[in-house]
């Protein structure tokens, strides 16, 4: 029985969030094709994890017997997140672009789960785990667009999730999500609609394939 770790980080609820809408579609398709599977869900906007502290960071490099009470308490919270990642058979992350980067809540989660010598290093403990990131954005930062150089979400997450944690990473990118709300982007609405449709299709296909892969 496979476990899907589903993480959302958008500050907007439900359908008001493009990333949440697409991760929900992925999760629904996952459940349909893997009904016996388990979903562990974290909403980082509703229940943010603590930002990394000196105690939480240093405890990861201190023997348990030598940790202070503050270090032990801080590391216990990190350990919950690390073990959730290690026990997951697949990971789904909603990562909207805020000010050209990921939400600070998602960065806080990453800071907690990245531990050199365990989840990072020569033999990362979650290495090879398939991960799908829904990287939504209000504009377009695709190659060849005027703001290509401002794309710090996919580049960053590829470096951390794939390059450091060793996850088998894939992206779904709903873009131009501000087009229906911004009159200055009205001519881009058809492109937004096409991107949104493609994102939902990708979510369903990728979820089905992943469920089949893990069930094999």
């Amino acid at each position: 029985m496979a476990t899907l770790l589903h993480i959302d980080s958008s500050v907007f609820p439900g359908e008001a969030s493009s990333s949440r809408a697409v991760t929900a579609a992925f999760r629904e398709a996952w459940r349909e094709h893997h009904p016996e599977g388990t979903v562990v869900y974290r909403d980082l906007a509703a229940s943010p994890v603590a930002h990394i502290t000196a105690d939480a960071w240093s405890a990861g490099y201190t023997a348990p017997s030598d940790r202070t009470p503050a270090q032990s308490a801080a590391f216990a919270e990190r350990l919950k997140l690390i073990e959730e990642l290690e026990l997951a058979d697949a990971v789904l992350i909603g990562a909207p672009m805020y000010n050209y980067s990921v939400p600070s809540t998602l960065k806080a989660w990453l800071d907690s789960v990245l531990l050199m010598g365990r989840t990072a290093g020569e033999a990362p403990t979650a290495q090879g785990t398939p991960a799908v990131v829904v990287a939504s954005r209000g504009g377009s930062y695709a190659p060849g667009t005027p703001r290509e150089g401002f794309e710090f979400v996919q580049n960053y997450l590829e470096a951390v999730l794939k390059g450091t944690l060793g996850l088998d990473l894939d992206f779904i990118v709903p873009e131009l999500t501000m087009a229906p709300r911004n009159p200055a982007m009205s001519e881009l609405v058809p492109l937004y609609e096409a991107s949104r449709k493609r994102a939902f299709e990708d979510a369903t296909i990728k979820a089905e394939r992943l469920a089949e892969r893990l069930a094999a």
Side-chain angles (χ1 to χ4, degrees), residues 21-34:
V22 177
T23 60
F26 183 104
R27 178 172 170 171
E28 181 179 353
W30 163 273
R31 283 195 177 280
E32 288 179 359
H33 289 80
H34 198 64

Side-chain angles (χ1 to χ4, degrees), residues 111-137:
D111 286 341
S112 284
V113 301
L114 200 160
L115 179 60
M116 192 60 62
R118 182 163 177 168
T119 59
E122 293 185 4
T125 49
Q127 187 168 18
T129 302
V132 176
V133 173
V134 178
S136 60
R137 60 276 316 276

Side-chain angles (χ1 to χ4, degrees), residues 93 95 102 106 110 133-135 152-164 169 171:
I93 300 175
V102 299
L106 180 55
L110 290 166
V133 173
V134 178
F152 301 114
V153 172
Q154 286 180 263
N155 292 342
Y156 168 67
L157 292 178
E158 184 153 357
V160 176
L161 297 176
K162 181 179 180 179
T164 304
L169 185 61
F171 284 100

Side-chain angles (χ1 to χ4, degrees), residues 38-75:
T38 300
V39 176
V40 175
Y41 181 59
R42 278 196 175 271
D43 186 336
L44 298 179
S47 300
V49 303
H51 284 276
I52 199 78
T53 63
D55 284 329
W57 183 88
S58 59
Y61 304 99
T62 303
S65 59
D66 294 333
R67 290 173 186 159
T68 66
Q71 285 179 316
S72 296
F75 190 74

Side-chain angles (χ1 to χ4, degrees), residues 4-10 17 19-24 26-27 39-49 80-82 84-85 88 90-96 103 105-110 113 131-135 157 161 165 167:
L4 173 68
L5 175 59
H6 175 188
I7 297 170
D8 277 325
S9 61
S10 172
S17 163
S19 64
R20 286 182 185 272
V22 177
T23 60
F26 183 104
R27 178 172 170 171
V39 176
V40 175
Y41 181 59
R42 278 196 175 271
D43 186 336
L44 298 179
S47 300
V49 303
K80 291 177 186 177
L81 304 175
I82 289 171
E84 281 182 355
L85 175 62
V91 180
L92 171 66
I93 300 175
T105 51
L106 180 55
K107 178 63 164 60
W109 179 82
L110 290 166
V113 301
V132 176
V133 173
V134 178
L157 292 178
L161 297 176
L165 297 177
L167 305 186

